[in-house]
Each structure stands twice: as C-alpha cells, then as structure tokens.
Amino acid sequence: MSAAQVSCQKPLSDDWMEDPVWYDEGYVRAMEPDSRNFIVPSEARRMSRILKRTICTSITTLNQSGVKEPDAIVTGTGMGCMENSEKFLIDLSNFGETCLKPTLFMQSTHNTISSLVAIVLKNHGYNNTYSHGGISFDSALFDAWLQIKTGAIRTALIGAHDEVTPFTALVMKKTHPHFPFVSETSVSAMLSADAAGTAPLCQVESVQLLYKPTADELYNVCHFTGNAVLIAGINGDEANDELYNELIDRCGGDISVVKYKHLFGENFSSSAIAFYVGCRILERQLVPQHMLVSGSAQQEGGIKEVVIVNHAGGTTWSVIKLCR
Amino acid sequence: MQSTLASLIKGESGIGALRHLDTVHNNLPVGEVKLSNGDMAQMLNLSYPYNGLRTVLMGIIAAKEAIAMAGLDEAVLKESAFINGTTVGGMDMTERYFKQVFDVQADTPDAVELKYNDCGCSSELIVDALGRVKTVTTTSTACSSAANAVILGANMIKAGLIDVAIVGGTECLTKFHINGFNTLMILDPERCRPFDAGRAGINLGEGAAYLVIESERSMKARGARPLVRLAGYANTCDAFHQTATSEDGEGAYLSMRKAMDMAGVLPKDIDYINAHGTGTPNNDVCEFAAMERIWGYNVPPFSSTKTFTGHTTSASGAIESVICILGIINSFMPKTHGFTSPINGQAIPVTETRTDVKMDNVVNNSFGFGGNDSTLIFSKVKDNE
C-alpha cells in the first residue's frame, strides 16, 4: 500500500507532519505539484488543474507501490471537473445555447477523472466513480475494499479529487456555511490483497457507510479495541463538531483524538485526507502534536488501530478502520 | 411497468417533441417524461422542495414501484442499501440559479436549493421519501451510472454485508447535457436510428428505474420469488478516449466476456443483447465490432430500445434492465424502432418485436463517456428453482 496527496500543504510530501503551512484565510487553493515529472507539457496544457493533480498523485502512488497494472481504478469526487463545468455554465449563461465549446463538456463529467487515469495507464480493468458529497472517497474505498475482500480483484488504485475554484468557493460559502476553511484535495492510494512487494503502510480492516445512523448504531460500529487513534472531521464549527464530540465522549477511554481539516481545509474529498493521515500515523507510529485534540502523540505498545470517522452534513457517516 | 410492457409489445415509441425543458433546442426529438414536476409531486403527495426536483421526483416514483413490487417491509428496508446512479443530477436547478448565485444568502431556502445540484443530495432526497435504509451512495459514470450501481449492490450482497439493495438510476433532461451533446454534434434532429446506415446520433431521454436485488437466502426466508437472476456482471474501461469508443470496442468486448464468465454461460447461451446502441456513428460500429469478436457470424439477436425511450443517460442501465426483465418474464424480444437500412458488412438488429421466444440469458450493455463500459446478464429463473 502506498499513498500520495496534493492539497494546500506541500504537494507529494509529508512535510505537514513536522512543518505544516498555516493559513488564516477561509479559502486557499492547493499548492500545485510540478506536473512536468509526470505529464508531457503538450498534454498538460489540455488538462484542467484537477486532472493534472490526479495524474501526479496517481503516478506517484503507482511508482511507490510497484504495482504497474492495478486490477481496478476507483475514484471519488464530490463535484467532478468543476473548472470545466463552471466555464461551460458561464458560457451557457452569457452567450446562450448556440456557440458552446465541446472540449469543456467532454472534460466536465465526474468520471472524466477516473477515465483519464485509465487512459494514461492504458488500463482496461474495473473503473468506477462515486459522487456522493463528503463520502465520495469513502464510497470508492468501500467498493475497492469489498472487491478485494471477495477476491474479485487483488489491487486497486483508489483516490478522491475535488477542485474548488473561486466561484465554487463562493457558492460553498452559501451552501456549506459549516465549512470554515475551504481548500482543495487530491489523494491517491494503492490497496493490495497481500503485503508482498513493497512495505505496506497499514491494513484496511473495514469500511462502513451509514445513512442517518442512531447514536447506538454509530457507537457500535466505532468500538475501539485499545491503543487506538480516532481521526474525526472536526473543523471548528460548533454544529459540525457537536456530532463528533457526542461520539468521542461516549467512546471515552485512552484514545488519541486527531483533527485534520484545520491543516488541509475542507471540500467533498476531505475524508481522503483523513485516510491519508491515518496511513501515515500508523506507518510512523506517531501523531503530529499540532493535529492532536486530546490524548497523547504516542502510545505505549504502539498505535494498533486508527478509526476514521466523518459525517457529511450530519446525514451520511463513514467509519474506516485501519490497523498495523 | 405494465404500460412500458404494453408500449414495447405494441411498438409505441415515447420519443416526441420537447415540452417541459426550456431550451432553444426544442426542435430536437427527445424521450421526455410526459408528467410535469407539479404532476409528479401531486402523485406523490409531496410539496416543497420536492416539487422542483425532477431527477428526485422521477427517482421516487420508480423506487417506490420497485419496493412495492418486491414487497419489502420497513424492517427489510432498514437493513438495505440504496445505490443510485446519476450524473447531471440536479443540474436543472443549477442552471436556473446560476445567474443569481451572487445574491443568494447563506442559511436561506435559496442556499439550500443551490445544494440540490449535488448528485449525492438527489440520492438522499429520494431515500428520505422511501423510508430508512442502512447505506446510501451514488455512482456517477455518465451513461453507465445505473449499471455500476447494480454492480456495487450485487458486490455488497455477495460479500454478505447486506441482503437487499435497491439499485438503479435517475436523470432528467437538462440544458447542460443537451447543449453538451449538441456541441459534440451527436444529437440526431430526426428520430434516432441505431445500427442503421443512416444513423446520425442520439435522441436524449430522461427517466428513472430501480431494481430490488436480494440474496437467495433472504428471498427464501421471506418466501419471495425472484423475477429473474442477476447471473453475471462486469465493469471494464475502454481506456481510449473521453468521448469516443475504440475501433475494436476493446472495453465493450472485455465487459461482455467477463460478465459471461461470471454468469458461467457460453456465448452460444445468450439469447438476446440489449445493446447500448446510442445511434451515434461511432458507438454502433464499435459495439458491433465487439460483439463480432465474441460471436463471429453468429451474433445473437440484438436491439437498441433507446428508439423507445431516448438515451436516458445515467438511468439507461436500469431502464434497459427493466426492459430485459420484462422480456425474460414475458418471453418477448423488443425491436429496434424505425430501422430501414443495414450498415455495410454488419448484421441487422431485431426489426420486429418477437413474441414467444426463448429468453433464458440476456445481455444488457451500458457504455459511458470515459470508456466506462458495463454489462449485466439476467437469466430466467426455472420453475423448479
């Protein structure tokens, strides 16, 4: 297993663990990776930012994992290729329905992203895209995990990608007032049925997607076995955080609670960052102090389990369990 | 479902003039749902915000019919998953609000309405009108979205995570994709003519359909009988181009092959193919090339029922699955409407509805932009099963 990220932290890097970049603004764009290492400039010119970022994280992940031909490519995206959709809508709104550009439409659908990865890799395997708000990544992970579990596939390149243009940020301010810090996310990771080859970061134990669960249902799914780290989508907004705090209070005990949205910002693919952070915490056996909400950075006997809990608008919940 | 069956057997196409969507392209023939948003909201006894959400309204009507037909009660529903395929989802709302977005204030009903352009939001609104379920998520792979929703639901059941899933898709006509397809110059101003030498593109359509898929164990426990068996399925990628299909139809070929492998059937066992058959010059040649690679000179009877419904994009995989299921349980093969001239060197589709035919194993193809190709295989349930 391997993973890579592009966000408002240094791209394709883990500097955020020791030396994060801090922001005061309510909205920042991602730091762009140097795409010349991954895409020839003539092709890059034809790609929107989200597509370039996707190729950068995907190829980095492939190279690190040593998996050349994944059996599946599964992607989550809340809004898809927003930059192109938006340009198309602006043209539609300004110039009417008669002189629109096909290229914008061709690269505007949600599945443009996952398909592009397949086209670049010439990969004919399973290819799917989930677009369900804040649990888009979790749905993609769920799909891949399920297929590995049933033996249908052995390897899957998973990821989640969302771009937030200034216009989208403006809309989100109105539609999602509970996102105090908005930014952009691209995350890729390789899942594999066996740990052969390169050293895995961790193991995905289970993935659960729950719609409007009761407090009991949620608690039962989360139950910690000790030496656990809980990563939650806490973002500083009272209404948003209350739901996590209720769960954390009930779970109690000696867990370390970790937040990530204050560093990476928020969008529909944020939960992919939580997954990425969880992998690194297990790999390094350390929680960066600046992400700790409560509990300790290291645990006696080592961190055995990371439980990632995110909700989207309080309705849809995802619970991902990672272990060493 | 009964009226769909009657229209298919009588050969009545639903393609006609556009009535509800406000667009300058109202000369294009479409498979538009005849009901207005108000009609549908009234049918469902739903008011604001539902009365403005076409994708959601169509979704609720179809999902309710599927759930009632399967006889799912609250307790079964509560442990089930709802997997919805949609792509442009609530884009009709986005278009309407686009110019006013700067004036909308946070935490107002207008701001909430802006949210409805999100695909996941449509799925949740549908589910809220159905009752409680365990899991909801949304596939979005353009024209194969619904087929991929079926595949996720089936995988969840296979893995033993759930016993019942409501799977399918919904999509309304929007200015966004009518104009999008129009810029690609693949909309036929006449009736679409899939697999015809004179074909000149797609007639877009809209609609919703859902299947209730269930484990054998759960069906036995409930004393329920299946309509058909979902015998096999596959999802592959053509990995060629965002909006065009490779000449040899590699993705389509692999998808049909893999689905047959899972179903444990041989090519000769397939009685009928409900083709993706959009009517674009590119799709129909490539899809046939893929069929020919598998069946050679013996391609089974195939047709494109998009001549009845229009291309219902994200919903098409589910709508055409319903047509296949109707075909299997009523032993008939739907025709391709309005076929006149064969493509050079290519077999012709089914041109007259065939009744009293063997429909034991049926292939349903759904191919999306980005080369997202999926195939579902439905099989007849034998009386002694």
Side-chain angles (χ1 to χ4, degrees), chain B residues 72 204 301:
Chain B
L72 303 183
L204 282 171

Side-chain angles (χ1 to χ4, degrees), chain B residues 9-21:
Chain B
I9 291 182
K10 275 189 277 180
E12 287 171 357
S13 170
I15 292 175
L18 199 114
R19 284 165 54 194
H20 299 302
L21 187 76

Side-chain angles (χ1 to χ4, degrees), chain A residues 93 97 102 105-106 110-112 115 124 127-132 139 146 174-175 209 211-212 315-316, chain B residues 23-25 99 101-102 104 115 124 127-128 132 134-135 137-138 140 161 179 235 237-238 242 369-370 372:
Chain A
S93 177
E97 300 178 72
F105 179 69
M106 283 162 74
H110 302 82
N111 65 327
T112 304
S115 302
H124 294 292
N127 192 298
N128 208 351
T129 300
Y130 290 90
S131 185
H132 194 101
S139 301
L146 204 63
K174 298 168 186 212
T175 56
L209 307 175
Y211 186 60
K212 294 189 175 170
T315 54
T316 316
Chain B
T23 164
V24 302
H25 304 299
K99 273 191 175 161
V101 76
F102 293 94
V104 174
K115 248 193 215 182
E124 294 189 8
V127 127
D128 287 343
R132 284 205 59 192
K134 188 179 174 191
T135 297
T137 190
T138 309
S140 189
L161 297 184
N179 278 287
N235 159 320
C237 192
D238 199 39
Q242 288 292 355
F369 271 1
N372 279 146

Side-chain angles (χ1 to χ4, degrees), chain A residues 232-261:
Chain A
I234 296 165
N235 69 2
D237 177 88
E238 210 176 308
N240 173 77
D241 294 354
E242 199 185 291
L243 300 167
Y244 296 112
N245 291 334
E246 280 169 20
L247 183 71
I248 293 163
D249 287 346
R250 201 165 162 191
C251 294
D254 302 326
I255 52 161
S256 307
V257 178
V258 172
K259 60 178 179 174
Y260 63 93
K261 288 180 180 172

Side-chain angles (χ1 to χ4, degrees), chain B residues 1-12 228 270-274 301-305 307-309 319-337 350-363 378 380:
Chain B
M1 202 154 142
Q2 286 311 315
S3 58
T4 306
L5 175 64
S7 300
L8 285 169
I9 291 182
K10 275 189 277 180
E12 287 171 357
V228 297
I270 301 298
D271 299 308
Y272 165 71
I273 301 169
N274 188 299
F302 64 97
S303 68
S304 168
T305 49
T307 51
F308 288 90
T309 60
I319 288 177
E320 286 157 31
S321 289
V322 169
I323 293 174
C324 290
I325 293 166
L326 284 171
I328 294 171
I329 57 183
N330 296 290
S331 306
F332 84 95
M333 214 175 266
K335 66 173 180 177
T336 296
H337 207 285
V350 177
T351 55
E352 288 305 328
T353 307
R354 298 182 196 170
T355 49
D356 294 317
V357 285
K358 183 168 157 284
M359 287 281 275
D360 287 351
N361 298 298
V362 165
V363 162
F378 296 99
K380 195 181 181 80

Side-chain angles (χ1 to χ4, degrees), chain A residues 71-99:
Chain A
D71 292 340
I73 300 170
V74 196
T75 304
T77 177
M79 312 242 251
C81 296
M82 212 43 218
E83 193 181 312
N84 288 343
S85 296
E86 190 181 296
K87 280 185 191 159
F88 193 79
L89 278 168
I90 290 170
D91 286 353
L92 189 65
S93 177
N94 289 346
F95 310 120
E97 300 178 72
T98 44
C99 47

Side-chain angles (χ1 to χ4, degrees), chain A residues 25-308:
Chain A
E25 300 92 326
Y27 159 62
V28 288
R29 299 211 70 166
M31 287 193 207
E32 301 297 344
D34 187 352
S35 64
R36 281 173 305 183
N37 299 332
F38 307 97
I39 320 163
V40 290
S42 60
E43 277 179 42
R45 266 196 299 278
R46 290 202 301 264
M47 291 181 191
S48 59
R49 294 186 205 199
I50 192 171
L51 294 178
K52 276 186 261 193
R53 292 174 195 158
T54 300
I55 297 303
C56 294
T57 57
S58 299
I59 293 183
T60 303
T61 300
L62 282 164
N63 290 345
Q64 283 173 3
S65 68
V67 176
K68 285 197 181 69
E69 289 180 42
D71 292 340
I73 300 170
V74 196
T75 304
T77 177
M79 312 242 251
C81 296
M82 212 43 218
E83 193 181 312
N84 288 343
S85 296
E86 190 181 296
K87 280 185 191 159
F88 193 79
L89 278 168
I90 290 170
D91 286 353
L92 189 65
S93 177
N94 289 346
F95 310 120
E97 300 178 72
T98 44
C99 47
L100 297 160
K101 295 183 199 79
T103 329
L104 292 177
F105 179 69
M106 283 162 74
Q107 298 197 347
S108 74
T109 51
H110 302 82
N111 65 327
T112 304
I113 303 166
S114 208
S115 302
L116 178 71
V117 179
I119 291 168
V120 169
L121 302 179
K122 297 184 175 57
N123 186 299
H124 294 292
Y126 182 94
N127 192 298
N128 208 351
T129 300
Y130 290 90
S131 185
H132 194 101
I135 62 143
S136 300
F137 166 77
D138 312 71
S139 301
L141 172 67
F142 178 68
D143 179 331
W145 168 75
L146 204 63
Q147 292 197 67
I148 287 178
K149 209 169 118 85
T150 55
I153 56 169
R154 297 199 60 77
T155 51
L157 177 65
I158 59 161
H161 311 273
D162 264 297
E163 59 184 349
V164 184
T165 62
F167 179 80
T168 313
L170 183 92
V171 177
M172 280 177 94
K173 221 174 177 172
K174 298 168 186 212
T175 56
H176 294 80
H178 301 296
F179 288 7
F181 174 31
V182 170
S183 190
E184 305 178 287
T185 299
S186 273
V187 169
S188 297
M190 184 68 73
L191 297 190
S192 175
D194 50 52
T198 51
L201 298 172
C202 62
Q203 187 187 334
V204 181
E205 201 177 282
S206 67
V207 186
Q208 304 227 37
L209 307 175
L210 301 167
Y211 186 60
K212 294 189 175 170
T214 62
D216 284 338
E217 282 166 346
L218 199 58
Y219 173 75
N220 290 338
V221 167
C222 289
H223 76 275
F224 310 108
T225 45
N227 286 42
V229 168
L230 175 76
I231 305 181
I234 296 165
N235 69 2
D237 177 88
E238 210 176 308
N240 173 77
D241 294 354
E242 199 185 291
L243 300 167
Y244 296 112
N245 291 334
E246 280 169 20
L247 183 71
I248 293 163
D249 287 346
R250 201 165 162 191
C251 294
D254 302 326
I255 52 161
S256 307
V257 178
V258 172
K259 60 178 179 174
Y260 63 93
K261 288 180 180 172
H262 64 302
L263 274 191
F264 293 92
E266 190 157 13
N267 57 66
F268 290 136
S269 286
S270 303
S271 58
I273 286 285
F275 177 79
Y276 180 83
V277 167
C279 294
R280 291 290 176 231
I281 287 176
L282 275 168
E283 183 199 22
R284 302 207 184 172
Q285 286 295 306
L286 176 76
V287 178
Q289 200 68 43
H290 55 266
M291 302 181 88
L292 212 52
V293 177
S294 61
S296 50
Q298 277 168 302
Q299 291 181 356
E300 209 175 313
I303 301 166
K304 289 191 177 134
E305 189 177 40
V306 168
V307 180
I308 303 165

